[in-house]
C-alpha cells in the first residue's frame, strides 16, 4: 500500500469532472441508494453541475483519493440542472431525484459571508489522514473568518475529526434526504477568532 502522507493537494481541473461527480454521489449514496439504483447514473446527473473552481483534490500516484469543496452561501458549489437529471432518470422519477439531490447538495442554514466546506472521500481510500489534510489546507487559506460543515448523526468519525480541528456543534436540524427518510444533522462551526 502507498504511503498516504505523500499525496498532493491542488485545485480540481475540468478533466477531473467525471471522477468528482462520482465522488460527490458516492459520499451521499447511503441516502440515495433507494432512489438511485446505479451510482453511475447519479454521477452523470450532476457531472455538468459542479462548479469546478470551488473544489480541491488530494492526489496519490496520479489518482484522486479525496475531494473537498469550499463555497459561500450565495453561490454554492453545485448548480443542479433538471434537464441532466431528467436525461438520466426519465420524466416521472426526475422530480424525486432532483428534490433529494437538492436537499443533500444545497447550502442551507449558513450565515452570510461565511464558508461552507464538504469533503467526499473516494471509496478506495477512506483514510482520515486525507480528510484531515484537505480540511487543514482549506482552513489555512483563511478566506473566511467562520467555516461550517454539516455532519449526520451516524458520521461519528467525521464529527470527531472536526472537533479535533476546532469545529463545534452549533445547531441540530432534520431534512428529508430521499423517499420517507429523515436525517438529523449537526451544523459544525469553525471560527478563526
Amino acid at each position: 500500500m502507498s504511503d498516504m502522507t505523500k499525496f498532493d493537494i491542488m485545485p480540481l481541473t475540468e478533466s477531473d469532472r467525471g471522477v468528482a461527480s462520482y465522488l460527490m454521489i458516492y459520499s451521499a449514496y447511503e441516502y440515495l441508494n433507494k432512489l438511485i439504483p446505479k451510482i453511475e447514473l447519479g454521477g452523470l446527473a450532476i457531472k455538468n453541475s459542479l462548479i469546478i473552481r470551488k473544489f480541491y483534490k488530494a492526489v496519490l500516484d496520479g489518482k484522486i483519493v479525496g475531494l473537498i469543496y469550499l463555497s459561500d452561501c450565495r453561490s454554492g458549489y453545485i448548480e443542479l440542472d433538471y434537464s441532466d437529471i431528467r436525461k438520466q432518470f426519465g420524466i416521472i422519477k426526475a422530480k424525486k431525484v432532483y428534490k433529494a439531490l437538492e436537499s443533500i447538495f444545497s447550502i442551507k442554514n449558513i450565515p452570510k459571508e461565511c464558508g461552507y466546506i464538504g469533503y467526499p472521500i473516494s471509496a478506495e481510500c477512506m483514510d482520515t489522514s486525507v480528510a484531515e489534510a484537505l480540511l487543514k489546507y482549506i482552513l489555512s487559506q483563511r478566506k473566511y473568518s467562520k467555516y461550517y460543515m454539516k455532519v449526520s448523526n451516524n458520521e461519528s468519525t467525521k464529527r470527531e475529526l472536526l472537533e479535533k480541528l476546532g469545529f463545534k456543534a452549533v445547531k441540530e436540524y432534520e431534512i428529508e434526504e430521499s423517499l420517507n427518510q429523515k436525517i438529523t444533522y449537526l451544523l459544525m462551526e469553525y471560527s478563526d477568532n
Side-chain angles (χ1 to χ4, degrees):
M1 182 166 171
S2 300
D3 181 3
M4 290 308 300
T5 61
K6 302 281 186 203
F7 55 83
D8 296 308
I9 298 175
M10 60 192 78
L12 198 67
T13 62
E14 192 60 42
S15 65
D16 301 318
R17 187 176 284 279
V19 173
S21 65
Y22 168 79
L23 290 178
M24 293 294 293
I25 289 294
Y26 179 80
S27 71
Y29 200 62
E30 70 178 286
Y31 310 116
L32 294 169
N33 62 5
K34 293 177 188 166
L35 196 58
I36 302 174
K38 293 185 179 176
I39 195 168
E40 296 81 10
L41 293 179
L44 289 170
I46 68 164
K47 184 177 176 183
N48 296 323
S49 301
L50 302 180
I51 302 172
I52 296 296
R53 71 180 182 278
K54 307 243 175 149
F55 288 80
Y56 298 88
K57 61 186 175 181
V59 178
L60 177 68
D61 299 329
K63 183 178 178 184
I64 297 175
V65 293
L67 193 66
I68 195 165
Y69 48 88
L70 172 64
S71 192
D72 56 39
C73 55
R74 291 187 321 276
S75 58
Y77 57 94
I78 188 167
E79 295 173 340
L80 291 174
D81 184 339
Y82 183 75
S83 63
D84 284 339
I85 294 168
R86 194 174 71 196
K87 228 184 280 182
Q88 298 305 318
F89 297 100
I91 295 170
I92 296 170
K93 197 172 185 181
K95 286 182 183 177
K96 290 179 184 176
V97 172
Y98 184 88
K99 185 179 176 184
L101 292 173
E102 186 178 48
S103 73
I104 293 170
F105 294 128
S106 65
I107 297 174
K108 297 175 184 169
N109 305 313
I110 307 297
K112 292 183 179 175
E113 299 178 16
C114 294
Y116 181 76
I117 303 170
Y119 66 90
I121 301 294
S122 77
E124 298 81 17
C125 173
M126 298 302 279
D127 193 304
T128 56
S129 66
V130 176
E132 185 173 350
L134 286 165
L135 283 164
K136 284 180 177 178
Y137 178 83
I138 289 292
L139 295 173
S140 73
Q141 304 291 308
R142 299 186 187 277
K143 190 171 181 179
Y144 301 99
S145 60
K146 287 187 179 178
Y147 296 87
Y148 292 88
M149 290 185 76
K150 70 178 184 179
V151 181
S152 73
N153 276 352
N154 62 355
E155 295 177 305
S156 59
T157 304
K158 187 174 178 181
R159 182 177 178 180
E160 289 168 8
L161 174 59
L162 294 176
E163 288 171 343
K164 175 183 168 185
L165 295 175
F167 282 82
K168 294 180 179 19
V170 293
K171 185 178 181 180
E172 185 175 284
Y173 60 97
E174 268 189 357
I175 61 173
E176 191 163 324
E177 291 285 334
S178 61
L179 299 174
N180 303 322
Q181 184 180 15
K182 289 196 182 228
I183 307 296
T184 303
Y185 279 101
L186 287 175
L187 187 63
M188 305 288 288
E189 177 186 84
Y190 174 89
S191 180
D192 205 16
N193 302 329

